[in-house]
Amino acid sequence: GLENELDQEGWQADWFPYFQKQCPLRKGLDTAAELGMTLWGRISMNRNYGERNGCALASRFWKENHAVMGEVGKDGTPDPSRLCYFFEEYRAERLAGITEAARITGPRPGRRVEAVVLDFVRQPPMLLYHPAMCEAYQEENSQDPREICADDGETFLQWCRWRADLLTAFLRQVRSSLIEIGEEAGQPIQLLPRITDLGFNMNLIEGIDIERWCEEGLIDGIVTSPLNWVRGIW
């Protein structure tokens, strides 16, 4: 069924057989070794294309879990293109993908990526208002976050910090895993987040406590993007 759907999608009908036979990351590692180039592995952190394009860009995990773990907007509108980091299973799936990419080597020179870039610009905000997460916050703080307005200032940022703590805990796991893989390979692997350059508070609203990540030494640098995703919202 999947192959038939892809046959109707033009360019993807050409690429699907290639992906079945060739790992683009391994190919990239070999090419970088031949050309003497540095290679960073960039991983989209919360952009799931779902059933679009014949499911060619949808993971098995997404297909099996988006109905339960799919994000939900403040007004209750579902957004299955993102999954919620509140769920331990989703964090584990993301971690597995990152560590797999860090362990992969090119077939010929045994080359690995020098850095892993976690792309949080795909797609902010990282966390929205999944009912399970909102209920957990309300149980701890006696306030439904869906009733908090951005104009509430510190009360709103308190909710954002609590929500961002989920991603910070996840990043600690990533950092620990990359250190372990780097020590095994005898080659350190840098960890670089790609985030918007809209400022600390906006990063916090996106689910990213970048100040804390720096304070804890969880990252080796920052890649910024000028994406203004709130234009037209505020």
Side-chain angles (χ1 to χ4, degrees):
L2 178 59
E3 292 189 26
N4 290 336
E5 289 181 71
L6 285 167
D7 287 341
Q8 303 171 15
E9 296 295 333
W11 64 269
Q12 294 190 56
D14 297 326
W15 279 105
F16 189 63
Y18 173 82
F19 288 139
Q20 287 182 308
K21 299 175 182 177
Q22 178 72 263
C23 170
L25 179 53
R26 287 190 171 94
K27 179 66 175 176
L29 286 164
D30 273 358
T31 302
E34 291 172 4
L35 300 177
M37 298 174 64
T38 297
L39 187 73
W40 291 358
R42 182 181 66 87
I43 302 174
S44 177
M45 293 311 296
N46 210 3
R47 190 72 177 93
N48 299 277
Y49 290 87
E51 296 175 355
R52 291 170 52 192
N53 303 316
C55 287
L57 303 176
S59 68
R60 182 181 296 109
F61 185 89
W62 180 88
K63 284 185 268 188
E64 293 176 352
N65 295 282
H66 72 275
V68 173
M69 298 183 194
E71 271 291 12
V72 180
K74 192 173 185 179
D75 62 356
T77 302
D79 182 1
S81 71
R82 318 173 202 209
L83 299 184
C84 185
Y85 274 91
F86 175 76
F87 294 99
E88 183 179 351
E89 296 90 341
Y90 183 49
R91 298 196 300 272
E93 187 267 352
R94 295 284 83 188
L95 180 62
I98 293 167
T99 54
E100 179 182 356
R103 290 185 186 280
I104 282 178
T105 59
R108 290 194 294 275
R111 177 81 173 273
R112 294 174 185 261
V113 294
E114 282 84 4
V116 170
V117 179
L118 305 185
D119 192 347
F120 294 106
V121 179
R122 305 291 292 170
Q123 188 77 21
M126 287 295 111
L127 298 114
L128 292 173
Y129 288 83
H130 194 285
M133 182 170 63
C134 290
E135 290 167 10
Y137 182 83
Q138 187 170 7
E139 185 174 337
E140 287 186 27
N141 298 275
S142 303
Q143 189 169 19
D144 187 339
R146 290 163 291 197
E147 297 176 359
I148 301 173
C149 298
D151 292 340
D152 292 337
E154 184 54 36
T155 302
F156 177 65
L157 290 179
Q158 178 183 334
W159 148 245
C160 291
R161 288 190 191 94
W162 183 92
R163 190 171 61 173
D165 283 347
L166 295 168
L167 214 57
T168 298
F170 168 74
L171 207 71
R172 293 191 192 106
Q173 290 183 301
V174 174
R175 182 64 164 182
S176 177
S177 294
L178 292 184
I179 289 174
E180 181 179 341
I181 294 170
E183 289 176 348
E184 291 173 358
Q187 172 197 325
I189 301 172
Q190 291 189 321
L191 179 59
L192 306 170
R194 181 172 182 250
I195 63 174
T196 69
D197 61 3
L198 303 179
F200 295 146
N201 282 350
M202 191 56 64
N203 291 149
L204 202 58
I205 292 169
E206 293 167 353
I208 296 164
D209 194 343
I210 191 64
E211 292 181 279
R212 190 169 180 183
W213 293 3
C214 291
E215 288 170 358
E216 293 190 19
L218 297 178
I219 56 178
D220 297 294
I222 301 171
V223 180
T224 61
S225 166
L227 176 69
N228 188 353
W229 63 275
V230 292
R231 183 183 292 120
I233 298 177
W234 289 354

